[in-house]
Amino acid sequence: MLMDIAPERPGSLVVGSGEAARRIAYKRRDGEAPALVWLGGFRSDMRGTKAEHLSGLAGEKGLAFCRFDYSGHGESGGRFEDGTISRWVEDAAAVIAEAVDGPAILVGSSMGAWIALRLVQQARAVRGGTEIVGLLLLAPAPDFTRRLMEPKLTVAQRRELAEKGFLAEPSAYSDEPTIYTRALFEDGVANLVMDGPIETGCPVTIIQGMADPDVPFEHALGLVSHLPSDGVVVTLVRDGDHRLSRPRDLQLIERAALDLVTAARDAGHPPSTV
């Protein structure tokens, strides 16, 4: 009978220094490697449906698990308006260094997929720290500022961004408007990943809804063209939206995560307890 052998434990750490210092909240679950690490999307928090489901799966399977809130999100400190891709990558790297022992599979949702790809690039450049042995990218939105948003900006929006330094746009997921800052767009340029080959060094699984109003499925297919030719699996959900949170979507995500765990262990990463 499956049981939760190690309940989640909350933690926090301070990332950055001086005025840039912010407290990052996380939850971790001890278990066997490889660990599943949840990377949420833009304005999402670690208590979302998919994150909760993966936490439960990890508990049932005895897997190590970690989830957290970027600065300006959920239970973490800092202002959302100060957030950039670079800052959120720094948050993620710090949490993984502190809370994840042994190899990890990064599960990135929407913007979280961009964060995951940047973490892989940094890990391969540094050659140290936590080994990333798999990527599960859900409705991936890498380079969304340049590829998905900028082409749709009106002349008025571009003027507002230049003069005010931000845009406040209605959100389909919240009563509060979504803030997009000039700094987010400018920093996005420094973090582009779809401008050349992306060497991940690990298997990649992508799940994308074809009825996604925020990230067209063509964007996911474009991402594939930058990934290695082997070890990449793409699943298109014909009626799937951006959330991918229906029961059948969650089951698909669950199977994909466990397949990546099996692949990592088959490749020489045994299920030692971490």
Side-chain angles (χ1 to χ4, degrees), residues 260-271:
L260 285 170
V261 169
T262 299
R265 291 175 176 175
D266 290 344
H269 301 282

Side-chain angles (χ1 to χ4, degrees), residues 38 45-54 244-246 250:
W38 174 255
D45 62 52
M46 62 178 165
R47 295 185 180 274
T49 302
K50 294 187 291 293
E52 293 282 2
H53 187 82
L54 282 175
L244 291 174
S245 294
R246 300 169 302 179
L250 297 175

